[in-house]
Amino acid sequence: MSGTGTPSITARSAVHLRAAGSATVTEIAHTLELSRTSVENAMGALVESGLIVEAPTASAGRAGRPARRYAFHADAGHVVGVDVGVASVRVLVSDLAGRVRTQRRFEGIVAGSDGAATLGAVVADIRATLADADVPSSRIRAIGVSLPGIVDDAGRVIASVVIPEWSGVDIGAQLRQAFDCPVSVDNGVRLAAVAEHHLGVAQLVDDVVYLSVGNRIAMGLILGGRPRRGVHNAAGDIGRLAFRGLDAETGQIPWRTAADAAEVFALVESGDADARRELDAFVDELAHGIATLVMTVDPAMVVIGGGLSGAHGRLLDPLRAALPRHIRLPFDVPLVEARLGADAAAHGALVLAFRRHADAVYGVEGMPVPTVTPLPPGERGAQTDTIVVPKAARGAGTEEETT
């Protein structure tokens, strides 16, 4: 990872402008407790790189020439986050300050379809989003990708139950060739955990278990503020081990009284006794598995995401009640609902791109990840309606296929 050690004066000055808007050399030097000469040199380098520009000045009635002001040039380039799943393909485009400018949702991939065609469809989705945002691909500084599967540091898919056609494929290299920029790829649930820690419900704690409960159960770990990958990049792939009763091959949650979880919850609401017993048994088993994880990791918080988190209190309230019965120790671990929902992994992919490729994104060593700012909920809803793009590799799926 780039940007280790003490940030340079150039990086510190750029970070200040990224957060503060505009400032003069004197203001920056005073705030950062640096010499004016050092800041002037940094401004020259940053202007030359295009990362900052001169900002409008106001004399405020004073005589003489006003001090020159500088502003961070957030639109000098863009960063893309992509989440690939069966339910949908989500694409985010942010500026260099981390503000999401455009967000689009496309139909999900089809399990069992040709791997090359599936990759081509994802590339087309990214290009369509860039065109809609009026951003040429030449201005993309980095891309982060979330996908279902075990992925190594280089972006090669080691194994994927959901997209087996991509197993052994270097997806990062394929996308680097398509867009001529740095690309990083990681597991979707791990990146959802990253997003909840960076801009979601777990921002104030550094040891987090993120549990995705949807068609499958999978975990993302944040330890010491960093995502845990493990020696074999498989940390968190625990669904079939920690939670009994899942399908041994696919890891899917089987339901006996209905076709899927939504129907089971509906039956429970209507007073169906069999469905109630099945749901109670599922919640108890889920609590048992969470207790195992809690006693292994001892996190500050457990975050529940995935498709079933949309049941809100109907799932979380009985889960909170069941968990202490399995832990049986004199402390409580907060169990909370994920804030970012189905958009979490795409935002985590955006954070990944900023973190892994900071030098390429900014052209300055030592720049930290910006505070990623999602679109406001109203705008997000208006911009995430499915864009129907007829492709052979397209098809509908069920939500939460990020493991």
Side-chain angles (χ1 to χ4, degrees):
M1 181 182 299
S2 62
T4 58
T6 303
S8 66
I9 292 175
T10 302
R12 291 175 64 191
S13 300
V15 170
H16 177 75
L17 288 173
R18 188 175 69 182
S22 67
T24 65
V25 168
T26 300
E27 290 168 346
I28 297 170
H30 176 75
T31 300
L32 300 183
E33 298 182 338
L34 298 169
S35 72
R36 180 182 172 86
T37 299
S38 297
V39 175
E40 283 179 334
N41 292 336
M43 291 300 101
L46 290 169
V47 168
E48 184 176 353
S49 72
L51 197 57
I52 69 169
V53 292
E54 288 193 33
T57 58
S59 62
R62 297 178 183 176
R65 184 176 180 180
R68 183 176 295 172
R69 300 188 70 83
Y70 297 94
F72 187 78
H73 190 194
D75 290 326
H78 295 80
V79 177
V80 174
V82 185
D83 175 36
V84 180
V86 171
S88 63
V89 174
R90 297 169 186 264
V91 184
L92 312 178
V93 180
S94 87
D95 62 20
L96 298 187
R99 294 185 293 263
V100 176
R101 298 297 195 182
T102 301
Q103 179 170 332
R104 291 287 182 264
R105 178 168 62 88
F106 300 84
E107 290 183 10
I109 62 168
V110 174
S113 62
D114 177 77
T118 299
L119 180 60
V122 172
V123 170
D125 292 343
I126 298 172
R127 294 195 188 282
T129 305
L130 294 176
D132 187 69
D134 197 24
V135 173
S137 59
S138 61
R139 296 187 63 181
I140 299 303
R141 302 283 180 92
I143 298 174
V145 180
S146 152
L147 55 78
I150 300 174
V151 184
D152 67 18
D153 284 331
R156 182 182 299 276
V157 180
I158 299 172
S160 176
V161 173
V162 179
I163 320 177
E165 299 78 18
W166 282 4
S167 296
V169 177
D170 190 341
I171 295 297
Q174 297 289 333
L175 292 174
R176 282 192 290 275
Q177 183 176 358
F179 293 97
D180 193 27
C181 70
V183 178
S184 282
V185 184
D186 207 347
N187 171 265
V189 176
R190 184 177 296 125
L191 290 181
V194 166
E196 289 292 344
H197 178 252
H198 182 81
L199 64 146
V201 73
Q203 294 178 66
L204 300 181
V205 295
D206 281 343
D207 294 282
V208 182
V209 167
Y210 174 93
L211 203 67
S212 173
V213 186
N215 291 322
R216 298 172 177 81
I217 301 176
M219 178 181 68
L221 275 177
I222 303 292
L223 299 179
R226 308 297 294 177
R228 173 65 179 171
R229 298 185 59 83
V231 173
H232 303 98
N233 305 289
D237 191 21
I238 46 73
R240 285 167 284 183
L241 300 176
F243 301 91
R244 298 166 296 191
L246 303 186
D247 186 284
E249 294 297 324
T250 66
Q252 287 190 305
I253 301 171
W255 296 101
R256 175 179 52 81
T257 57
D260 55 36
E263 291 185 15
V264 173
F265 275 97
L267 287 174
V268 170
E269 291 293 315
S270 70
D272 187 286
D274 285 344
R276 166 54 67 187
R277 282 191 290 271
E278 181 176 34
L279 184 58
D280 288 347
F282 171 75
V283 168
D284 190 66
E285 181 57 38
L286 187 60
H288 174 271
I290 293 173
T292 302
L293 299 175
V294 166
M295 296 309 298
T296 302
V297 179
D298 192 17
M301 179 182 290
V302 175
V303 179
I304 304 296
L308 288 192
S309 68
H312 308 298
R314 292 181 296 164
L315 174 67
L316 295 185
D317 288 346
L319 193 55
R320 291 186 184 108
L323 189 56
R325 296 198 299 268
H326 292 278
I327 294 180
R328 296 181 181 179
L329 287 174
F331 61 81
D332 292 323
V333 178
L335 192 151
V336 301
E337 181 181 340
R339 180 180 298 169
L340 298 168
D343 291 328
H347 285 87
L350 201 59
V351 175
L352 175 71
F354 274 111
R355 180 172 289 157
R356 288 273 188 90
H357 306 296
D359 293 355
V361 168
Y362 294 111
V364 174
E365 291 187 7
M367 291 287 288
V369 178
T371 300
V372 171
T373 307
L375 284 170
E379 294 182 38
R380 203 182 312 166
Q383 296 204 44
T384 56
D385 291 335
T386 300
I387 300 174
V388 179
V389 183
K391 298 186 184 81
R394 284 272 172 255
T398 53
E399 190 57 82
E400 194 54 43
E401 294 287 354
T402 56
T403 61

